[in-house]
Coordinates of all heavy atoms in Angstrom, one line a residue:
M1 N -33.7 -8.5 21.8 CA -32.4 -9.1 22.0 C -31.7 -8.5 23.2 O -31.7 -7.3 23.4 CB -31.5 -8.9 20.8 CG -30.1 -9.4 20.9 SD -29.0 -9.0 19.6 CE -29.8 -9.8 18.2
R2 N -31.2 -9.3 24.1 CA -30.5 -8.8 25.3 C -29.0 -8.8 25.1 O -28.5 -9.8 24.6 CB -30.9 -9.7 26.5 CG -30.2 -9.2 27.8 CD -30.5 -10.2 28.9 NE -29.6 -9.9 30.1 CZ -30.1 -9.5 31.2 NH1 -31.4 -9.4 31.4 NH2 -29.3 -9.2 32.2
C3 N -28.4 -7.7 25.4 CA -27.0 -7.5 25.3 C -26.4 -6.9 26.6 O -27.1 -6.1 27.2 CB -26.6 -6.6 24.1 SG -27.2 -7.1 22.5
E4 N -25.2 -7.3 27.0 CA -24.6 -6.8 28.1 C -23.2 -6.3 27.8 O -22.5 -6.9 27.0 CB -24.5 -7.8 29.2 CG -25.9 -8.2 29.8 CD -25.8 -9.2 30.9 OE1 -24.7 -9.4 31.5 OE2 -26.8 -9.8 31.3
S5 N -22.7 -5.3 28.5 CA -21.4 -4.7 28.3 C -21.0 -3.9 29.5 O -21.9 -3.3 30.2 CB -21.3 -3.9 27.0 OG -20.0 -3.5 26.8
Q6 N -19.7 -3.8 29.8 CA -19.3 -3.1 30.9 C -19.3 -1.6 30.6 O -18.9 -1.2 29.5 CB -17.8 -3.4 31.3 CG -17.3 -2.7 32.4 CD -15.8 -3.1 32.7 OE1 -15.3 -4.0 32.1 NE2 -15.2 -2.4 33.7
V7 N -19.9 -0.8 31.5 CA -19.9 0.7 31.3 C -18.6 1.3 31.6 O -18.0 1.1 32.7 CB -21.0 1.3 32.2 CG1 -21.0 2.8 32.1 CG2 -22.4 0.8 31.9
L8 N -18.0 2.0 30.6 CA -16.7 2.6 30.7 C -16.8 4.0 31.4 O -15.9 4.4 32.1 CB -16.1 2.8 29.4 CG -15.8 1.5 28.6 CD1 -15.3 1.9 27.2 CD2 -14.9 0.6 29.3
D9 N -17.9 4.7 31.1 CA -18.0 6.1 31.5 C -19.4 6.6 31.3 O -20.2 5.9 30.7 CB -17.0 7.0 30.6 CG -16.7 8.3 31.2 OD1 -17.1 8.6 32.3 OD2 -16.1 9.1 30.5
R10 N -19.7 7.8 31.9 CA -21.0 8.5 31.6 C -20.6 9.8 31.0 O -19.8 10.6 31.7 CB -21.9 8.6 32.8 CG -22.5 7.2 33.1 CD -23.6 7.3 34.2 NE -24.6 8.3 34.0 CZ -25.7 8.2 33.2 NH1 -25.9 7.1 32.5 NH2 -26.6 9.1 33.1
R11 N -21.1 10.2 29.8 CA -20.7 11.4 29.2 C -21.9 12.2 28.6 O -22.9 11.6 28.3 CB -19.7 11.1 28.0 CG -18.5 10.5 28.4 CD -17.6 10.3 27.2 NE -16.5 9.4 27.6 CZ -15.9 8.6 26.7 NH1 -16.3 8.5 25.5 NH2 -15.0 7.7 27.1
L12 N -21.7 13.5 28.4 CA -22.7 14.3 27.8 C -22.5 14.1 26.3 O -21.5 14.3 25.7 CB -22.5 15.8 28.2 CG -23.6 16.7 27.9 CD1 -24.8 16.3 28.7 CD2 -23.2 18.1 28.3
V13 N -23.6 13.6 25.6 CA -23.6 13.3 24.2 C -24.7 14.1 23.5 O -25.8 14.2 24.0 CB -23.8 11.8 24.0 CG1 -23.9 11.5 22.5 CG2 -22.8 11.0 24.7
K14 N -24.3 14.7 22.4 CA -25.3 15.5 21.6 C -25.9 14.6 20.6 O -25.2 13.9 19.8 CB -24.6 16.6 20.9 CG -25.6 17.6 20.2 CD -24.9 18.8 19.5 CE -24.3 19.7 20.5 NZ -23.7 20.9 19.9
S15 N -27.2 14.5 20.6 CA -28.0 13.6 19.6 C -27.9 14.2 18.2 O -27.5 15.4 18.0 CB -29.4 13.5 20.1 OG -30.1 14.7 19.9
A16 N -28.4 13.4 17.3 CA -28.4 13.9 15.9 C -29.3 15.1 15.7 O -29.1 15.9 14.8 CB -28.9 12.8 15.0
S17 N -30.3 15.3 16.6 CA -31.2 16.5 16.5 C -30.6 17.7 17.3 O -31.2 18.7 17.3 CB -32.5 16.1 17.1 OG -32.4 15.7 18.5
G18 N -29.4 17.5 17.9 CA -28.8 18.6 18.6 C -29.0 18.7 20.1 O -28.5 19.6 20.7
V19 N -29.8 17.8 20.6 CA -30.1 17.8 22.1 C -29.0 17.0 22.8 O -28.7 15.9 22.5 CB -31.5 17.2 22.3 CG1 -31.8 17.1 23.8 CG2 -32.6 17.9 21.5
S20 N -28.5 17.6 23.9 CA -27.5 17.0 24.7 C -28.1 16.2 25.9 O -29.1 16.6 26.5 CB -26.5 18.0 25.3 OG -25.8 18.6 24.3
E21 N -27.6 15.0 26.2 CA -28.0 14.2 27.3 C -26.9 13.4 27.8 O -25.9 13.1 27.1 CB -29.2 13.3 26.9 CG -28.9 12.2 25.9 CD -30.1 11.4 25.5 OE1 -31.0 11.2 26.4 OE2 -30.1 10.8 24.5
K22 N -26.9 13.0 29.1 CA -25.9 12.2 29.7 C -26.2 10.7 29.4 O -27.3 10.2 29.7 CB -25.8 12.4 31.2 CG -24.5 12.0 31.8 CD -24.2 12.7 33.0 CE -22.7 12.5 33.3 NZ -22.2 13.3 34.4
R23 N -25.2 10.0 28.8 CA -25.4 8.6 28.4 C -24.2 7.8 28.9 O -23.1 8.2 29.0 CB -25.5 8.4 26.9 CG -26.6 9.1 26.2 CD -26.7 8.6 24.8 NE -27.5 9.5 24.0 CZ -27.4 9.6 22.7 NH1 -26.6 8.8 22.0 NH2 -28.2 10.4 22.0
S24 N -24.5 6.5 29.2 CA -23.5 5.5 29.5 C -22.7 5.2 28.2 O -23.2 5.2 27.1 CB -24.1 4.2 30.0 OG -24.8 4.5 31.2
V25 N -21.4 5.0 28.3 CA -20.5 4.7 27.2 C -20.0 3.3 27.4 O -19.5 2.9 28.5 CB -19.4 5.7 27.1 CG1 -18.4 5.3 26.0 CG2 -19.9 7.1 26.9
V26 N -20.1 2.5 26.4 CA -19.5 1.1 26.4 C -18.6 0.9 25.2 O -18.6 1.7 24.2 CB -20.7 0.1 26.3 CG1 -21.5 0.2 27.6 CG2 -21.5 0.2 25.1
R27 N -17.8 -0.1 25.1 CA -17.0 -0.4 24.0 C -17.6 -1.7 23.3 O -17.8 -2.7 23.9 CB -15.6 -0.7 24.5 CG -14.6 -0.9 23.3 CD -13.2 -0.8 23.8 NE -13.1 0.5 24.5 CZ -12.1 1.0 25.1 NH1 -11.0 0.3 25.0 NH2 -12.1 2.1 25.7
E28 N -17.8 -1.5 22.0 CA -18.4 -2.6 21.2 C -17.7 -2.7 19.9 O -17.1 -1.8 19.4 CB -19.9 -2.3 21.0 CG -20.7 -2.3 22.2 CD -20.7 -3.6 22.9 OE1 -20.7 -4.7 22.2 OE2 -20.8 -3.7 24.2
P29 N -17.8 -3.9 19.2 CA -17.2 -4.1 17.9 C -18.2 -3.9 16.8 O -18.9 -4.8 16.4 CB -16.8 -5.6 18.0 CG -17.8 -6.2 18.9 CD -18.2 -5.1 19.9
P30 N -18.3 -2.7 16.2 CA -19.1 -2.6 15.0 C -18.5 -3.3 13.8 O -17.3 -3.7 14.0 CB -19.1 -1.1 14.7 CG -17.9 -0.6 15.3 CD -17.6 -1.5 16.5
H31 N -19.2 -3.5 12.8 CA -18.6 -4.3 11.7 C -19.1 -3.7 10.3 O -20.1 -3.1 10.2 CB -19.0 -5.7 11.8 CG -20.5 -5.9 11.8 ND1 -21.2 -5.7 12.9 CD2 -21.3 -6.1 10.8 CE1 -22.5 -5.8 12.6 NE2 -22.6 -6.1 11.4
S32 N -18.3 -4.0 9.3 CA -18.7 -3.8 8.0 C -18.4 -5.1 7.2 O -17.3 -5.4 6.8 CB -17.8 -2.7 7.4 OG -18.0 -2.5 6.0
R33 N -19.5 -5.9 7.2 CA -19.4 -7.3 6.7 C -18.4 -8.0 7.6 O -18.6 -8.1 8.8 CB -19.0 -7.4 5.3 CG -20.1 -7.0 4.4 CD -21.3 -8.0 4.5 NE -22.4 -7.6 3.7 CZ -23.5 -8.3 3.7 NH1 -23.7 -9.3 4.5 NH2 -24.5 -7.9 3.0
R34 N -17.3 -8.4 7.2 CA -16.4 -9.2 8.0 C -15.2 -8.5 8.6 O -14.3 -9.0 9.1 CB -15.8 -10.4 7.2 CG -16.9 -11.3 6.6 CD -17.5 -12.1 7.8 NE -18.6 -12.9 7.4 CZ -19.8 -12.9 7.9 NH1 -20.1 -12.1 8.9 NH2 -20.7 -13.7 7.5
R35 N -15.3 -7.1 8.6 CA -14.2 -6.3 9.2 C -14.7 -5.9 10.6 O -15.8 -5.3 10.7 CB -13.9 -5.1 8.4 CG -13.2 -5.5 7.1 CD -12.9 -4.3 6.2 NE -12.1 -3.3 7.0 CZ -12.1 -2.0 6.8 NH1 -12.9 -1.5 5.8 NH2 -11.4 -1.2 7.5
Y36 N -14.0 -6.1 11.6 CA -14.4 -5.7 13.0 C -13.3 -4.8 13.6 O -12.1 -5.0 13.4 CB -14.5 -7.0 13.9 CG -15.6 -7.9 13.4 CD1 -15.3 -8.9 12.4 CD2 -16.9 -7.8 13.9 CE1 -16.3 -9.7 12.0 CE2 -17.9 -8.7 13.5 CZ -17.6 -9.6 12.5 OH -18.6 -10.5 12.1
W37 N -13.7 -3.9 14.5 CA -12.9 -3.1 15.3 C -13.7 -2.6 16.5 O -14.9 -2.5 16.4 CB -12.3 -1.9 14.5 CG -13.2 -1.0 13.9 CD1 -13.7 0.2 14.5 CD2 -14.0 -1.1 12.7 NE1 -14.6 0.8 13.8 CE2 -14.8 0.0 12.6 CE3 -14.0 -2.0 11.7 CZ2 -15.7 0.3 11.6 CZ3 -14.9 -1.8 10.6 CH2 -15.7 -0.7 10.6
E38 N -13.0 -2.2 17.5 CA -13.8 -1.7 18.7 C -13.9 -0.2 18.7 O -12.9 0.5 18.4 CB -13.1 -2.2 20.0 CG -13.3 -3.7 20.3 CD -12.9 -4.0 21.7 OE1 -12.2 -3.2 22.4 OE2 -13.2 -5.2 22.1
V39 N -15.0 0.3 19.1 CA -15.2 1.7 19.3 C -16.1 2.0 20.5 O -16.7 1.1 21.0 CB -16.0 2.4 18.1 CG1 -15.2 2.3 16.8 CG2 -17.3 1.8 17.9
E40 N -16.0 3.2 21.0 CA -16.9 3.5 22.2 C -18.2 4.0 21.6 O -18.3 4.7 20.7 CB -16.2 4.6 23.0 CG -15.0 4.2 23.7 CD -14.3 5.2 24.5 OE1 -14.8 6.4 24.5 OE2 -13.4 4.9 25.2
V41 N -19.3 3.5 22.3 CA -20.7 3.7 21.9 C -21.5 4.2 23.0 O -21.3 3.7 24.2 CB -21.3 2.4 21.4 CG1 -22.7 2.5 20.9 CG2 -20.5 1.8 20.2
A42 N -22.4 5.2 22.8 CA -23.3 5.7 23.8 C -24.7 5.2 23.4 O -25.4 6.0 22.7 CB -23.2 7.2 23.9
P43 N -25.1 4.0 23.8 CA -26.4 3.5 23.4 C -27.6 4.4 23.8 O -27.6 5.0 24.8 CB -26.5 2.1 24.1 CG -25.1 1.8 24.5 CD -24.5 3.1 24.7
T44 N -28.6 4.4 22.9 CA -29.9 5.0 23.2 C -31.0 4.3 22.4 O -30.7 3.5 21.5 CB -29.8 6.5 22.8 OG1 -31.0 7.2 23.2 CG2 -29.7 6.7 21.3
N45 N -32.2 4.6 22.7 CA -33.3 3.9 22.1 C -33.5 4.6 20.7 O -33.8 5.8 20.6 CB -34.6 4.1 22.9 CG -35.8 3.4 22.3 OD1 -35.8 3.0 21.2 ND2 -36.8 3.1 23.1
R46 N -33.4 3.8 19.6 CA -33.5 4.3 18.3 C -34.7 3.6 17.6 O -34.8 3.6 16.4 CB -32.3 4.0 17.5 CG -31.1 4.7 18.0 CD -29.9 4.8 17.0 NE -28.7 5.3 17.6 CZ -28.5 6.6 17.9 NH1 -29.4 7.5 17.6 NH2 -27.4 7.0 18.4
D47 N -35.7 3.2 18.4 CA -36.9 2.5 17.8 C -37.6 3.4 16.8 O -38.2 2.9 15.8 CB -37.9 2.1 18.9 CG -37.4 0.9 19.7 OD1 -36.4 0.2 19.2 OD2 -37.9 0.6 20.7
S48 N -37.6 4.7 17.0 CA -38.4 5.6 16.1 C -37.6 6.0 14.9 O -38.1 6.6 13.9 CB -38.7 6.9 16.9 OG -37.6 7.6 17.2
T49 N -36.3 5.6 14.8 CA -35.5 5.8 13.6 C -35.4 4.5 12.8 O -35.8 3.5 13.2 CB -34.1 6.3 14.0 OG1 -33.3 5.2 14.5 CG2 -34.1 7.5 14.9
G50 N -34.8 4.6 11.6 CA -34.7 3.4 10.8 C -33.4 2.7 11.0 O -33.1 1.7 10.3
Y51 N -32.5 3.2 12.0 CA -31.2 2.7 12.1 C -30.9 2.4 13.6 O -31.3 3.2 14.5 CB -30.2 3.7 11.6 CG -30.4 4.0 10.2 CD1 -31.1 5.2 9.8 CD2 -30.0 3.2 9.2 CE1 -31.4 5.5 8.5 CE2 -30.2 3.5 7.8 CZ -30.9 4.7 7.5 OH -31.2 4.9 6.2
C52 N -30.3 1.2 13.9 CA -30.0 0.9 15.3 C -28.8 1.6 15.8 O -28.6 1.6 17.0 CB -29.9 -0.7 15.4 SG -28.6 -1.4 14.4
M53 N -27.9 2.1 14.9 CA -26.7 2.8 15.3 C -26.3 3.9 14.4 O -26.5 3.7 13.2 CB -25.6 1.7 15.4 CG -24.3 2.2 15.9 SD -23.2 0.8 16.1 CE -21.6 1.7 16.3
L54 N -25.8 5.0 14.9 CA -25.3 6.0 14.1 C -23.8 6.2 14.4 O -23.4 6.7 15.4 CB -26.0 7.4 14.4 CG -27.5 7.5 14.1 CD1 -28.0 8.8 14.6 CD2 -27.7 7.3 12.6
P55 N -23.0 5.6 13.5 CA -21.5 5.6 13.8 C -21.0 7.1 13.6 O -21.5 7.8 12.8 CB -20.9 4.7 12.8 CG -21.9 4.6 11.7 CD -23.3 4.8 12.3
G56 N -20.1 7.4 14.5 CA -19.5 8.8 14.5 C -18.2 8.8 13.7 O -17.7 7.8 13.2
R57 N -17.7 10.0 13.5 CA -16.4 10.2 12.7 C -15.3 9.4 13.3 O -14.5 8.8 12.5 CB -16.1 11.7 12.8 CG -17.0 12.6 12.0 CD -16.4 14.0 12.0 NE -16.3 14.5 13.3 CZ -17.1 15.4 13.9 NH1 -18.1 15.9 13.2 NH2 -16.9 15.8 15.1
E58 N -15.1 9.4 14.6 CA -14.0 8.6 15.2 C -14.1 7.1 14.9 O -13.1 6.5 14.7 CB -13.9 8.9 16.7 CG -13.5 10.3 17.0 CD -13.4 10.5 18.5 OE1 -13.1 9.6 19.3 OE2 -13.6 11.7 19.0
A59 N -15.3 6.6 14.9 CA -15.5 5.2 14.6 C -15.1 4.8 13.2 O -14.6 3.7 13.0 CB -16.9 4.8 14.9
M60 N -15.2 5.7 12.3 CA -15.0 5.4 10.9 C -13.7 5.9 10.4 O -13.2 5.5 9.3 CB -16.1 6.0 10.0 CG -17.5 5.5 10.3 SD -18.7 6.2 9.3 CE -18.9 7.8 10.0
Q61 N -13.1 6.9 11.1 CA -11.8 7.5 10.6 C -10.7 6.5 10.2 O -10.4 5.7 11.0 CB -11.3 8.5 11.6 CG -10.2 9.4 11.1 CD -9.8 10.5 12.1 OE1 -10.3 10.5 13.3 NE2 -9.0 11.4 11.7
G62 N -10.2 6.6 9.0 CA -9.2 5.7 8.5 C -9.6 4.3 8.2 O -8.8 3.5 7.8
R63 N -10.9 4.1 8.3 CA -11.4 2.7 8.1 C -12.4 2.6 6.9 O -12.5 1.5 6.3 CB -12.1 2.2 9.3 CG -11.2 2.0 10.5 CD -12.0 1.4 11.7 NE -11.1 1.2 12.8 CZ -11.0 2.1 13.8 NH1 -11.7 3.2 13.8 NH2 -10.1 1.8 14.8
M64 N -13.1 3.7 6.6 CA -14.1 3.6 5.5 C -14.4 5.0 5.0 O -14.2 6.0 5.6 CB -15.4 2.9 6.0 CG -16.1 3.7 7.1 SD -17.6 2.9 7.7 CE -17.0 1.3 8.3
L65 N -14.9 5.0 3.7 CA -15.4 6.2 3.1 C -16.9 6.0 2.9 O -17.4 4.9 2.7 CB -14.8 6.4 1.7 CG -13.3 6.7 1.7 CD1 -12.8 6.7 0.3 CD2 -13.0 8.0 2.4
L66 N -17.7 7.1 3.1 CA -19.1 7.1 3.0 C -19.6 7.9 1.8 O -19.1 8.9 1.5 CB -19.8 7.6 4.2 CG -19.5 6.8 5.5 CD1 -20.2 7.5 6.7 CD2 -19.9 5.4 5.4
D67 N -20.7 7.4 1.2 CA -21.4 8.1 0.2 C -22.7 8.4 0.7 O -23.6 7.6 0.9 CB -21.5 7.2 -1.1 CG -22.3 7.9 -2.2 OD1 -22.8 9.1 -2.0 OD2 -22.3 7.4 -3.3
P68 N -23.0 9.7 1.2 CA -24.2 10.0 1.8 C -25.5 9.9 0.9 O -26.6 9.8 1.4 CB -24.1 11.5 2.2 CG -22.9 12.0 1.4 CD -22.1 10.8 1.0
A69 N -25.3 9.7 -0.4 CA -26.4 9.5 -1.3 C -26.7 8.1 -1.5 O -27.7 7.7 -2.2 CB -26.1 10.2 -2.6
A70 N -26.0 7.2 -0.8 CA -26.2 5.7 -1.1 C -26.6 5.0 0.2 O -26.3 5.5 1.3 CB -25.0 5.1 -1.6
S71 N -27.3 3.9 0.1 CA -27.7 3.1 1.3 C -27.4 1.6 1.0 O -27.6 1.2 -0.2 CB -29.1 3.3 1.6 OG -29.4 4.5 2.1
F72 N -27.0 0.9 2.0 CA -26.9 -0.6 1.9 C -26.0 -1.0 0.7 O -26.4 -1.9 -0.1 CB -28.2 -1.3 1.9 CG -29.0 -1.0 3.1 CD1 -30.1 -0.1 3.0 CD2 -28.7 -1.5 4.3 CE1 -30.8 0.1 4.2 CE2 -29.4 -1.2 5.5 CZ -30.5 -0.4 5.4
R73 N -24.9 -0.4 0.4 CA -24.0 -0.7 -0.7 C -23.4 -2.1 -0.6 O -23.1 -2.7 -1.7 CB -22.9 0.3 -0.8 CG -23.4 1.7 -1.1 CD -24.0 1.8 -2.5 NE -23.0 1.7 -3.5 CZ -22.7 2.7 -4.4 NH1 -23.4 3.8 -4.4 NH2 -21.8 2.5 -5.3
T74 N -23.3 -2.6 0.6 CA -22.7 -4.0 0.7 C -23.9 -5.0 0.9 O -23.6 -6.2 1.1 CB -21.7 -4.1 1.8 OG1 -22.4 -3.8 3.1 CG2 -20.5 -3.2 1.6
G75 N -25.1 -4.5 0.8 CA -26.3 -5.4 1.0 C -26.7 -5.5 2.4 O -25.9 -5.2 3.3
E76 N -27.9 -5.8 2.6 CA -28.4 -6.0 4.0 C -28.1 -7.3 4.6 O -28.0 -8.3 3.8 CB -30.0 -5.8 4.0 CG -30.4 -4.4 3.7 CD -31.9 -4.2 3.9 OE1 -32.3 -4.4 5.0 OE2 -32.6 -3.9 2.9
M77 N -27.8 -7.4 5.9 CA -27.5 -8.7 6.5 C -28.8 -9.5 6.8 O -29.8 -8.9 7.2 CB -26.7 -8.4 7.8 CG -25.4 -7.8 7.6 SD -24.5 -7.5 9.1 CE -24.1 -9.2 9.6
T78 N -28.7 -10.8 6.6 CA -29.8 -11.7 6.9 C -29.8 -11.9 8.4 O -28.9 -11.7 9.1 CB -29.6 -13.0 6.1 OG1 -28.5 -13.7 6.6 CG2 -29.5 -12.8 4.6
A79 N -30.9 -12.5 8.9 CA -31.0 -12.8 10.3 C -30.0 -13.8 10.7 O -29.4 -13.7 11.8 CB -32.4 -13.3 10.6
S80 N -29.7 -14.8 9.9 CA -28.6 -15.7 10.2 C -27.2 -15.1 10.3 O -26.4 -15.5 11.2 CB -28.6 -16.9 9.3 OG -28.3 -16.5 8.0
E81 N -27.0 -14.1 9.5 CA -25.7 -13.4 9.5 C -25.6 -12.6 10.9 O -24.5 -12.6 11.5 CB -25.5 -12.4 8.4 CG -25.2 -13.1 7.1 CD -25.2 -12.2 5.9 OE1 -26.1 -11.3 5.7 OE2 -24.2 -12.3 5.1
W82 N -26.7 -12.0 11.3 CA -26.7 -11.3 12.6 C -26.4 -12.2 13.7 O -25.7 -11.9 14.7 CB -28.0 -10.6 12.8 CG -28.1 -9.2 12.1 CD1 -28.8 -8.9 11.0 CD2 -27.5 -8.0 12.5 NE1 -28.7 -7.6 10.7 CE2 -27.9 -7.0 11.6 CE3 -26.6 -7.7 13.5 CZ2 -27.4 -5.7 11.7 CZ3 -26.2 -6.4 13.6 CH2 -26.5 -5.4 12.7
L83 N -27.0 -13.4 13.7 CA -26.8 -14.4 14.8 C -25.4 -14.9 14.8 O -25.0 -15.3 15.9 CB -27.8 -15.5 14.6 CG -29.3 -15.2 14.8 CD1 -30.2 -16.4 14.4 CD2 -29.6 -14.7 16.2
Q84 N -24.7 -14.9 13.8 CA -23.3 -15.3 13.8 C -22.3 -14.3 14.4 O -21.2 -14.7 14.6 CB -22.8 -15.6 12.3 CG -23.5 -16.8 11.7 CD -23.1 -17.1 10.3 OE1 -22.2 -16.4 9.8 NE2 -23.8 -17.9 9.6
L85 N -22.8 -13.1 14.6 CA -21.9 -12.0 15.1 C -21.5 -12.3 16.5 O -21.8 -12.7 17.4 CB -22.5 -10.7 15.0 CG -22.7 -10.2 13.6 CD1 -23.5 -8.9 13.6 CD2 -21.4 -10.0 12.9

């Protein structure tokens, strides 16, 4: 899937494994089913992980609570739901 977005900045970002690298930062609308809001995202290749995005504290603060012991509590999105975004 091809996506385009304006680059806002280039910043030093620490990966989940603790390694720092300089990444481009863009603004994108993540979602939780039908709730949308904009956050800054530093995209990277996550093909080797099971997740396309790891949301940070700032993206979720005041918007959601997480249960680290649970997965897909609202269900997985179908391909047609992804295409409607």
Side-chain angles (χ1 to χ4, degrees):
M1 176 186 300
R2 181 185 168 117
C3 300
E4 294 183 14
S5 187
Q6 180 180 355
V7 175
L8 301 174
D9 195 8
R10 288 192 48 84
R11 298 183 195 150
L12 198 59
V13 176
K14 190 180 290 187
S15 71
S17 62
V19 177
S20 294
E21 66 179 335
K22 197 156 198 171
R23 295 189 199 164
S24 298
V25 176
V26 298
R27 188 164 305 179
E28 294 298 324
H31 59 278
S32 172
R33 286 296 178 184
R34 298 293 178 228
R35 292 179 55 208
Y36 296 87
W37 61 93
E38 286 193 348
V39 296
E40 291 183 355
V41 179
T44 190
N45 185 341
R46 297 195 187 284
D47 286 347
S48 63
T49 70
Y51 304 95
C52 60
M53 183 176 168
L54 296 176
R57 290 184 301 253
E58 289 182 30
M60 296 181 286
Q61 189 172 11
R63 296 182 176 98
M64 61 179 63
L65 295 174
L66 296 181
D67 179 354
S71 294
F72 301 107
R73 296 293 289 240
T74 60
E76 294 187 59
M77 292 180 71
T78 65
S80 61
E81 287 176 311
W82 277 105
L83 293 174
Q84 292 175 10
L85 296 177

